[in-house]
């Protein structure tokens, strides 16, 4: 079944969603908020698509490769933005995003 | 931060969402589909609210107790419906739902 | 701004989400449920992606064409499944799906 | 059916989700971003619950009054925050939120 076949992908998506929402929450509390605009925006985009794809995988969606390709792109973009910022939550988010992007790309292929 | 404070709740919600979506997917493939109407419906309701609450917790939502109370109710109902059916996916889903309902109730209190 | 630029697309997505969820709800109440398995499954897939894309468009997502292409595909599949069934809710859902698929394809191009 | 019975509520939720996501997108582009922290956060909370409740209503959720009560509270809070800011998008969002909160309260009663 889907939830076993995609176990690793589901865990990685869950970790990426968590890292992105934590980064979003933390960015909104940072001092120099003006620098975090794009990070806040992409954190939400990335958290939402990871959460969506996670659910879709478990319910046996017929659109695995399409969603994986889209998710890979958004994770890559979010990781690249987060990487620019020194905050610990941004660096950890970038890491989670790149890991997720890579696993998504493999699944999409 | 939220994602650490609510770590156990987030994991439990994730497991419940997974069990519900797996049960939904499996129910849709069962022979006697007419008996699974309510199970399919509640699996989706429960998966959706668990997924929603999970994200909300990590992003630092100000509505923890309200969402916990709502989620507890839906998990309880879904668990009671799943419990009626002998399928392994239904029994496991009931278990995940009752565990999640209990943890939600504590958080709501 | 996004919410004005994509006004027509947003309305069409909203109508498609509504038609799909109504069809899902109605299918779950039909007599010959075994024939509606695929319709129930695709109704949820289609309602979820339309709802997702709708929100993403209004919040200024950078992923308009990618989401439009994915949504077009899911709408097309859901419409083709719904078209097979004589129920009024299925026929109306097929119509909403095909309209949405076409508008998504134009946006993706 | 649900989608007819709740037609007005569904439209109001859709308008509120649209206003909140537009306000979120616009806030992220404003000059004095530090003043918009809470507005950005509540816009997302409110957009997400309105979108969720909208879908749930159309699919015949058994949790109408519970979701209406929760949505009323979040809309009220978001409206109160938006009302503080002079930006046109904030004022319009406050209006949409208060209208939605009122309709939700009636439905919850």
């Amino acid at each position: 079944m889907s939830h076993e076949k995609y176990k690793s992908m589901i865990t990685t998506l869950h970790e990426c969603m968590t890292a992105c929402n934590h980064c979003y929450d933390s960015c909104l509390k940072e001092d120099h908020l003006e620098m975090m605009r794009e990070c806040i925006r992409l954190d939400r985009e990335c958290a939402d698509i990871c959460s969506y794809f996670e659910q879709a995988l478990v319910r046996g969606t017929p659109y695995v490769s399409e969603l994986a390709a889209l998710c890979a792109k958004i994770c890559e973009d979010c990781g690249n933005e987060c990487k620019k910022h020194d905050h610990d939550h941004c660096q950890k988010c970038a890491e989670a995003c790149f890991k997720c992007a890579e696993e998504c790309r493999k699944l999409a292929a």
Side-chain angles (χ1 to χ4, degrees), chain A:
Chain A
M1 297 291 301
S2 290
H3 74 304
E4 281 153 5
K5 187 176 171 191
Y6 299 120
K7 200 169 187 174
S8 163
M9 186 75 257
I10 290 164
T11 302
T12 304
L13 287 164
H14 178 69
E15 285 167 358
C16 191
M17 179 280 281
T18 303
C20 287
N21 273 319
H22 170 52
C23 188
Y24 167 91
D25 184 28
S26 304
C27 283
L28 277 176
K29 292 170 180 161
E30 289 294 344
D31 281 345
H32 301 290
L33 196 58
E34 322 75 44
M35 298 175 58
M36 311 314 294
R37 293 176 197 269
E38 210 48 28
C39 202
I40 292 168
R41 184 184 293 276
L42 287 173
D43 280 340
R44 184 181 175 192
E45 291 291 325
C46 197
D48 278 4
I49 198 67
C50 286
S51 171
Y52 187 95
F53 188 22
E54 201 187 316
Q55 269 224 65
L57 271 180
V58 196
R59 74 175 175 239
T61 183
Y63 304 102
V64 174
S65 62
E66 292 89 347
L67 282 165
L70 174 60
C71 198
K73 188 180 167 65
I74 300 178
C75 287
E76 189 73 30
D77 290 352
C78 188
N80 282 329
E81 175 60 31
C82 286
K83 210 176 51 179
K84 296 179 197 167
H85 307 284
D86 285 337
H87 307 302
D88 189 51
H89 54 83
C90 291
Q91 291 297 314
K92 281 188 179 150
C93 189
E95 214 179 299
C97 286
F98 290 140
K99 188 187 167 192
C100 195
E102 197 188 337
E103 203 165 335
C104 282
R105 270 191 303 268
K106 282 181 196 159
L107 196 55

